[in-house]
Amino acid sequence: MELFAELSSQWTIIIGLAVFFGAILLMAVFARYASLWIQCKMTRAGIGLFSLVKMSLQKINPTVIVRSKIMAVQAQLPYVISSRALEAHYLARGNVPRVIQALIAAHRANIELDWETAQAIDLAGRNVLEAVQTSVYPKVIDCPDVKKGQSTLDAVAGDGIQLRARARVTVRTNLKQLIGGATEETIIARVGQGIVSAIGSTNSYKVVLENPDMISRKVLDMGLEAQTAFAIVSIDIADIDVSENVGARLQADQAEADTRVAQAKAEQKRAEFAAREQEMVAKVQQNRAEVVLAEAEVPKAIADAFQSGQLALMDYYDLHNVQADTKMRMAIAGSGTGGSVGSNPA
């Protein structure tokens, strides 16, 4: 009996300690989450005390989830967002309060936006609240972007006059294409391309100066917002300045280039003719050399004729007299280039 009494006393102490520490633990838990739990009860957020403890064990900030859920309930969104959905978005490193604020702003502005789309936009790295705000209050973008170092869009009209334009593009967010849609840089590039193309298609710069809104209408009709995260509301030409006469400058440059080409061709022809002249001079020298060689064969032929008896002495003197008479005639005529056909016999 004493042993039984001793064991009962030990169990009583153990149970008492367990109850004591359990009470302390419950008091600590209640003290930690009492404020949030009371807020949930008063606002009908539907989050219990056990769920709050579970969030802490999952390394989820219960304050963020409770306040986000309270905002969604108090805003009376047309759809119910469960606490698990908020927790899952938090664990995915999403910005839960910003998504809820975006949903509330879209609901107040009658913009169609559901929880799945909003959290997908947030997880994609886009600021969903800013996107909704841009849908409500359209945003103005300068074209071109001065931050990129370019202050004007330079375009040349049909008459060769260069115009420098600046435009302001008013856009609102297209929530349906926000995921995967092109950003502001694409809008600026497309609008700039459209303005340059529209100015280039006009016959005269005067038409552009007289009717700048014609350029805006042409650019709007191009459908530049396709596959972008924005819808273009309007394109306003802020300023147009007349620059230089590019057409005249290009024509002058072309004329100068043509002159250089003609000079090069003429120089080429001159070089060809000079080379041809040198060839002719060489051929003349060659022919003269052949004549000298032929003349050198004459005395040898005369000597051979003497030896063979085909040429008599009187015939030789007659030939010599003919040569002398020929030289005299050529000297009188002023030629001065009468080469002797033969030479005196040795």
Side-chain angles (χ1 to χ4, degrees), residues 152-198:
T152 59
L153 294 169
D154 299 339
V156 180
D159 54 358
I161 303 299
Q162 185 184 47
L163 298 177
R164 294 180 176 177
R166 289 184 292 272
R168 306 193 73 184
V169 186
T170 305
V171 298
R172 64 162 48 100
T173 305
N174 187 350
L175 296 175
K176 294 182 179 179
Q177 296 184 359
L178 188 58
I179 300 177
T183 58
E184 295 180 9
E185 294 182 356
T186 302
I187 293 291
I188 295 174
R190 289 184 180 180
V191 172
Q193 178 183 355
I195 292 175
V196 172
S197 176

Side-chain angles (χ1 to χ4, degrees), residues 262-278:
Q263 290 176 350
K265 290 182 178 180
E267 183 65 22
Q268 182 180 2
K269 288 290 185 182
R270 189 196 65 78
E272 292 177 355
F273 289 144
R276 183 64 176 172
E277 180 182 3
Q278 294 299 322

Side-chain angles (χ1 to χ4, degrees), residues 310-329:
Q310 294 179 355
L311 182 65
L313 182 60
M314 293 304 296
D315 295 330
Y316 170 73
Y317 281 114
D318 290 338
L319 176 61
H320 189 71
N321 291 333
V322 171
Q323 290 178 348
D325 185 61
T326 301
K327 288 182 179 180
M328 181 183 65
R329 290 176 182 276

Side-chain angles (χ1 to χ4, degrees), residues 4-33:
F4 180 76
E6 185 179 355
L7 291 175
S8 299
S9 176
Q10 291 179 354
W11 277 107
T12 302
I13 295 173
I14 293 174
I15 294 173
L17 291 174
V19 172
F20 176 75
F21 286 112
I24 293 177
L25 180 61
L26 289 176
M27 291 177 62
V29 171
F30 185 79
R32 170 69 175 82
Y33 301 102

Side-chain angles (χ1 to χ4, degrees), residues 3 42 109 113 158 176 244-245 256 287 304 311:
L3 179 61
M42 295 181 64
L113 180 65
K176 294 182 179 179
E244 60 179 328
N245 192 335
E256 184 179 356
N287 293 334
D304 292 339
L311 182 65

Side-chain angles (χ1 to χ4, degrees), residues 207-222:
V207 178
V208 180
L209 295 179
E210 292 173 357
N211 195 10
D213 60 335
M214 175 190 65
I215 304 299
S216 301
R217 291 195 301 269
K218 284 185 178 180
V219 176
L220 283 174
D221 293 339
M222 293 179 180

